[in-house]
């Protein structure tokens, strides 16, 4: 990789994260950390507002803009593949946004790259979710984004019905089903619920603020800790984000 290309990619990696370590940059760019330190110092000397220091991490200062990006032919094909696959498994609003966003990307490609990307022989027929489930997934996603509490009418794997008031934290896709990870006010703990087992979802006029110990970041740290302790995360996810065959408790 040419050094100019590496510097450009380095800025892109830093701008896409809140805090980026030299170790992460070195791994992604396939260079040593010493090379990263030298490249960052050179960029700072050229006026790129990279903040931070070695051993802590870097972030890009506000107001810095790069020229518009141009995708390679392979990158454009990858975006088309991702869009086609994703559209079959997301809610209607997001599927429409994927379609319009992809159209904007394709419209600025060189003609040859656009034709090649659109001719990609990779498809994902819309067989995943029925309309009712798609609509529910949209309700859940919007509640997560708005920090809005939900009341779930749920039936678990044993057929037992329950009603929960939850803080929705994130939607997780397992290849066959979606689950909603939450902070459950009944259990006072993280719980996961399969979207296809929700009999009804009521969006409450109650917004919640992030609290220490009850956030998505806390849940992910718990998952990581359980994985490190048991070394079985890939085979058996923890109950906070239950695998498709299980039910919330």
């Amino acid at each position: 990789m040419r050094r100019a290309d590496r510097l450009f990619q380095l800025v892109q990696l830093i701008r896409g994260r809140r805090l980026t370590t030299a170790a992460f940059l070195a791994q992604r760019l396939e260079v040593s950390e010493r090379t990263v330190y030298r490249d960052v110092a050179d960029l700072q000397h050229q006026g790129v507002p990279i903040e931070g220091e070695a051993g802590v991490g870097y972030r890009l200062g506000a107001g810095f803009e790069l020229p518009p990006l141009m995708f390679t032919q392979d990158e454009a094909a990858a975006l088309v593949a991702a869009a086609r696959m994703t559209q079959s498994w997301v809610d209607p609003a997001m599927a429409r946004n994927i379609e319009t966003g992809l159209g904007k990307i394709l419209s600025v490609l060189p003609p040859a790259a656009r034709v090649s990307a659109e001719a990609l022989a990779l498809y994902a027929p819309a067989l995943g979710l029925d309309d009712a489930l798609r609509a529910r997934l949209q309700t859940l996603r919007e509640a997560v984004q708005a920090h809005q509490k939900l009341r779930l009418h749920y039936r678990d794997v044993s057929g037992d019905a329950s009603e929960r008031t939850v803080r929705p934290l994130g939607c997780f896709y397992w290849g066959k089903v979606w689950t909603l990870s939450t902070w459950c006010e009944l259990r006072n703990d993280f719980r996961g619920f399969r979207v296809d087992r929700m009999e009804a979802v009521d969006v409450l006029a109650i917004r919640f603020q992030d609290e220490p110990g009850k956030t998505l970041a806390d849940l992910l740290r718990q998952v990581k800790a359980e994985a490190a302790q048991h070394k079985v995360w890939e085979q058996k996810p923890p109950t906070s984000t239950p695998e498709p065959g299980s039910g919330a408790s």
Side-chain angles (χ1 to χ4, degrees), residues 82-105 126 131 134-135 137-139 141-142:
R84 288 178 180 174
M85 295 179 67
T86 305
Q87 280 180 301
S88 298
W89 291 98
V90 296
D91 59 73
M94 183 164 285
R96 289 192 297 270
N97 289 333
I98 290 172
E99 184 70 27
T100 57
L102 183 61
K104 291 178 182 179
I105 292 173
D131 291 342
R134 286 176 181 273
L137 184 60
Q138 181 173 336
T139 298
R141 177 177 60 82
E142 291 173 349

Side-chain angles (χ1 to χ4, degrees), residues 3 6-7 10 31-40:
R3 186 165 187 266
R6 187 177 73 241
L7 293 177
L10 189 151
V31 296
S32 67
E33 291 187 33
R34 179 174 295 181
T35 298
V36 170
Y37 298 147
R38 184 172 62 248
D39 287 349
V40 168

Side-chain angles (χ1 to χ4, degrees), residues 2-238:
R2 295 184 309 160
R3 186 165 187 266
D5 294 334
R6 187 177 73 241
L7 293 177
F8 181 82
Q9 288 193 26
L10 189 151
V11 174
Q12 290 292 348
L13 290 169
I14 294 176
R15 78 186 299 194
R17 297 163 59 89
R18 291 183 180 179
L19 191 66
T20 308
T21 65
F24 172 82
L25 293 170
Q27 180 182 21
R28 291 294 300 272
L29 297 172
E30 298 181 347
V31 296
S32 67
E33 291 187 33
R34 179 174 295 181
T35 298
V36 170
Y37 298 147
R38 184 172 62 248
D39 287 349
V40 168
D42 288 346
L43 288 167
Q44 290 172 327
H45 182 72
Q46 294 171 26
V48 179
I50 297 176
E51 303 170 353
E53 59 186 62
V56 178
Y58 301 104
R59 64 182 179 184
L60 200 61
F64 181 75
E65 295 293 340
L66 287 173
L69 298 180
M70 180 56 66
F71 296 101
T72 66
Q73 187 166 307
D74 288 341
E75 289 170 340
L79 289 171
V80 170
R84 288 178 180 174
M85 295 179 67
T86 305
Q87 280 180 301
S88 298
W89 291 98
V90 296
D91 59 73
M94 183 164 285
R96 289 192 297 270
N97 289 333
I98 290 172
E99 184 70 27
T100 57
L102 183 61
K104 291 178 182 179
I105 292 173
L106 292 175
S107 69
V108 300
L109 292 176
R114 177 174 182 174
V115 170
S116 176
E118 290 179 327
L120 180 67
L122 189 153
Y123 302 93
L127 303 175
L129 306 177
D130 59 36
D131 291 342
L133 206 57
R134 286 176 181 273
R136 182 169 299 152
L137 184 60
Q138 181 173 336
T139 298
L140 300 177
R141 177 177 60 82
E142 291 173 349
V144 170
Q145 294 173 324
H147 277 57
Q148 202 154 3
K149 289 188 180 182
L150 300 172
R151 181 179 295 113
L152 305 181
H153 303 267
Y154 191 75
R155 193 169 296 275
D156 66 18
V157 66
S158 301
D160 297 327
S162 63
E163 184 176 303
R164 310 289 185 93
T165 298
V166 302
R167 300 181 179 196
L169 302 177
C171 298
F172 289 78
Y173 178 58
W174 297 93
K176 292 183 179 180
V177 299
W178 282 92
T179 62
L180 175 71
S181 288
T182 73
W183 177 263
C184 177
E185 296 189 349
L186 176 66
R187 301 302 186 191
N188 197 36
D189 200 357
F190 295 114
R191 285 294 185 271
F193 300 88
R194 276 182 55 154
V195 177
D196 59 340
R197 291 196 180 129
M198 296 176 186
E199 297 187 331
V201 176
D202 300 324
V203 180
L204 306 180
I206 305 172
R207 297 185 184 274
F208 62 90
Q209 299 293 326
D210 286 339
E211 297 179 27
K214 300 181 180 181
T215 68
L216 179 61
D218 293 316
L219 168 60
L220 297 178
R221 279 192 290 269
Q222 178 178 305
V223 168
K224 185 176 181 180
E226 291 181 11
Q229 181 179 358
H230 303 293
K231 298 182 180 180
V232 293
W233 166 239
E234 292 184 355
Q235 290 77 32
K236 186 178 180 181

